[in-house]
Amino acid sequence: MGILNVTPDSFSDGGQHTAIDDALHHAERMLAEGAAIIDVGGESTRPGATPISPQQELDRVAPVVERLVRELDALVSVDTSAPEVMREVARLGAGMLNDVRSLRREGALQAATCSGLPVCLMHMVGEPGDMQYAPHYDVDIEEAVLTFLDERIAACEAAGLRRSRLILDPGFGFGKTVEHNLRLLNRMDRLQTLGLPLLAGMSRKSMIGKVLERPVEERLAGGLALAALAVERGARILRVHDVGPSVDAVNMTWAVLQEGLEP
């Protein structure tokens, strides 16, 4: 899953792809490098991010989604929590919804259910503006994430959103300390008990910077190590900025796990 942020303020690539042609060219590069999904985001959810209106978000993502589908025939995921955005991007041909708030905004669960699309549910405590203010859990982080996601799955099923349409994201970097993130990745296979595909997104995140003392533009090597570990622990979708190197890392990891060359 290649990341395509059409925001002015995302933590590593804000402002780089706000022009539609720039966004399209970047998506084309990621597809050529092996991305199977392009994840379009119009709202920054970095720590401390300022909220925007659904209309602002829609103005950013709708033209990009429409052109990605029409011109590149891409499988497009849209990173959104807004029901208004969910309904419109589904109409425009998006193939997946990716919600960091796990459909907890008013109307989001209904909109996602009616869309007919697969949905990724992510663990996050709080909101982006405050989620990194001394995050704390009364149980081990992997158990907290497991319980939260299990509850959200139940809420989705109760609303008519079939379990078979769900994907789960542990939410690395969302309401978690570095120690939480490291432990969660090390024990991510615990989440496989839920029986749903796992998505992991750690590309360029601050956990790499803090462990390796690297600025955001020097975090590729650390990110590739995390990608390999995530695949070994059950991740089946990796959300990344650097598609080409990540594809190589995943293919090499998968060859070892399968003890062979079959993809």
Side-chain angles (χ1 to χ4, degrees):
M1 175 183 276
I3 298 169
L4 180 57
N5 287 319
V6 289
T7 57
D9 55 347
S10 291
F11 79 95
S12 84
D13 57 356
Q16 293 183 19
H17 311 301
T18 52
I20 294 179
D21 285 343
D22 290 342
L24 206 68
H25 291 151
H26 185 56
E28 198 167 20
R29 284 194 297 272
M30 291 192 291
L31 291 168
E33 290 176 357
I37 308 167
I38 302 297
D39 192 48
V40 179
E43 176 198 13
S44 175
T45 51
R46 62 177 172 76
T50 303
I52 62 172
S53 72
Q55 188 58 53
Q56 285 177 292
E57 186 182 350
L58 195 55
D59 289 344
R60 292 174 181 176
V61 303
V64 176
V65 171
E66 184 175 25
R67 288 189 63 182
L68 286 174
V69 172
R70 185 180 74 242
E71 299 180 25
L72 300 183
D73 194 26
L75 175 54
V76 178
S77 165
V78 178
D79 188 351
T80 185
S81 301
E84 302 92 332
V85 177
M86 293 177 186
R87 286 190 289 268
E88 180 61 13
V89 298
R91 187 187 69 80
L92 293 172
M96 176 177 165
L97 301 173
N98 182 15
D99 185 5
V100 300
R101 296 175 179 85
S102 287
L103 305 179
R104 288 180 290 163
R105 274 191 178 168
E106 185 176 355
L109 183 50
Q110 182 183 14
T113 302
C114 293
S115 75
L117 299 178
V119 182
C120 184
L121 306 174
M122 195 193 80
H123 175 272
M124 176 174 67
V125 174
E127 284 287 320
D130 60 19
M131 64 184 178
Q132 289 303 106
Y133 294 162
H136 171 77
Y137 298 89
D138 294 327
V139 297
D140 291 336
I141 184 63
E142 68 276 13
E143 297 305 320
V145 172
L146 180 72
T147 299
F148 172 90
L149 291 174
D150 195 31
E151 290 172 352
R152 293 311 300 156
I153 293 167
C156 289
E157 290 186 299
L161 180 51
R162 294 193 307 276
R163 189 184 190 96
S164 60
R165 285 170 50 195
L166 300 177
I167 298 161
L168 306 178
D169 182 345
F172 294 103
F174 285 80
K176 300 170 184 70
T177 64
V178 174
E179 290 76 16
H180 287 145
N181 288 319
L182 297 176
R183 180 184 173 103
L184 181 57
L185 176 58
N186 200 31
R187 291 164 171 77
M188 193 175 72
D189 53 359
R190 178 80 175 88
L191 303 182
Q192 293 190 66
T193 60
L194 294 171
L196 291 173
L198 299 178
L199 181 153
M202 293 172 281
S203 178
R204 301 183 185 175
K205 287 191 173 178
S206 62
M207 62 186 289
I208 304 170
K210 289 176 181 175
V211 171
L212 301 180
E213 299 183 346
R214 298 287 188 184
V216 68
E217 66 273 11
E218 296 178 12
R219 295 176 185 173
L220 176 59
L224 296 179
L226 296 179
L229 288 166
V231 170
E232 193 272 335
R233 285 158 174 76
R236 292 299 173 261
I237 303 174
L238 295 179
R239 185 176 181 274
V240 301
H241 296 86
D242 304 287
V243 172
S246 298
V247 168
D248 283 350
V250 168
N251 286 344
M252 194 68 245
T253 304
W254 195 248
V256 173
L257 294 175
Q258 298 301 303
E259 299 180 7
L261 300 178
E262 291 297 321

